[in-house]
Amino acid sequence: MKLPEFSPEPIRDEDQPGYQKEIWRPSWRCFCCRDLGIVDPHLARLVMPEYNSDRDRNPICQAPGCNEGANWLHLRGSIDMRFTAAICQELDRINREDWRQATQQQFERYKKQLYIATDAIAQSHSFAISNRTPNDEREVQQRKAEIEAISPEQWGEMNKDYLVGSNKDE
């Protein structure tokens, strides 16, 4: 049997040509349990500071509208049902706000990086201009004056001759 030949499929989108970086946004609906049904350990520690997810019973999410905790009810001996709907709702609110702030901070970092990059380009451009010798500057000004002196009719002729194509050869 002749084996088929596949092209590789990169895992990371940023390795693809034309990739534009986006700020990642979670897709889960419940920020208390991240749609897993078990309260996220860092949130559980807000209610139980000594909580250890490797040792302690898993707190089940009971946030309003989140039914993922029901998937764990068959494990009665290893779940903690003390987190009420109100507690889970507050943990959801806290985590949503944390994500909003993290996204805002990341956006500000990207904005600052963009500013630094564009500023560096502008400085390199102004550096190139400021490095002109008096003769270079005179030549630039002379070329500029020559271009500004071209009449609209001459521009039209040049357009026909160089950009559109000349009919003189026909």
Side-chain angles (χ1 to χ4, degrees):
M1 172 182 163
K2 186 176 185 231
L3 294 175
E5 205 171 289
F6 297 128
S7 60
E9 292 184 351
I11 294 173
R12 297 166 25 133
D13 288 336
E14 55 267 24
D15 293 339
Q16 299 296 318
Y19 171 77
Q20 290 190 355
K21 191 170 188 170
E22 294 180 7
I23 297 175
W24 182 78
R25 211 179 103 213
S27 60
W28 53 74
R29 293 177 309 248
C30 180
F31 279 68
C32 177
C33 69
R34 299 181 181 180
D35 292 346
L36 296 174
I38 296 172
V39 176
D40 196 82
H42 86 279
L43 295 172
R45 284 187 204 93
L46 296 176
V47 178
M48 297 184 289
E50 302 295 319
Y51 177 70
N52 180 339
S53 58
D54 294 329
R55 176 194 67 210
D56 301 326
R57 292 181 181 198
N58 293 317
I60 298 301
C61 179
Q62 298 185 56
C66 178
N67 299 318
E68 300 300 324
N71 296 331
W72 299 94
L73 295 178
H74 67 283
L75 301 172
R76 284 276 176 216
S78 61
I79 59 173
D80 185 343
M81 296 295 294
R82 295 180 293 167
F83 281 54
T84 64
I87 292 171
C88 290
Q89 188 172 18
E90 181 61 14
L91 293 175
D92 180 272
R93 187 199 61 76
I94 290 168
N95 207 21
R96 281 179 195 274
E97 179 60 22
D98 288 349
W99 272 103
R100 189 194 65 72
Q101 287 178 4
T103 303
Q104 184 64 33
Q105 289 169 355
Q106 196 171 9
F107 175 72
E108 293 297 328
R109 272 195 305 275
Y110 289 149
K111 202 162 82 172
K112 186 177 181 181
Q113 288 172 349
L114 180 63
Y115 173 76
I116 290 169
T118 54
D119 191 45
I121 291 168
Q123 284 180 359
S124 70
H125 180 67
S126 66
F127 179 73
I129 291 172
S130 66
N131 280 347
R132 290 182 185 159
T133 65
N135 284 341
D136 292 339
E137 185 61 32
R138 187 172 34 89
E139 187 177 335
V140 167
Q141 293 302 324
Q142 185 178 351
R143 287 182 185 174
K144 180 178 180 237
E146 290 170 0
I147 290 170
E148 289 173 343
I150 297 173
S151 70
E153 293 81 21
Q154 288 174 309
W155 278 115
E157 285 299 313
M158 286 190 293
N159 181 36
K160 279 191 236 170
D161 290 345
Y162 299 109
L163 300 177
V164 178
S166 176
N167 293 333
K168 294 176 186 173
D169 296 336
E170 294 177 357

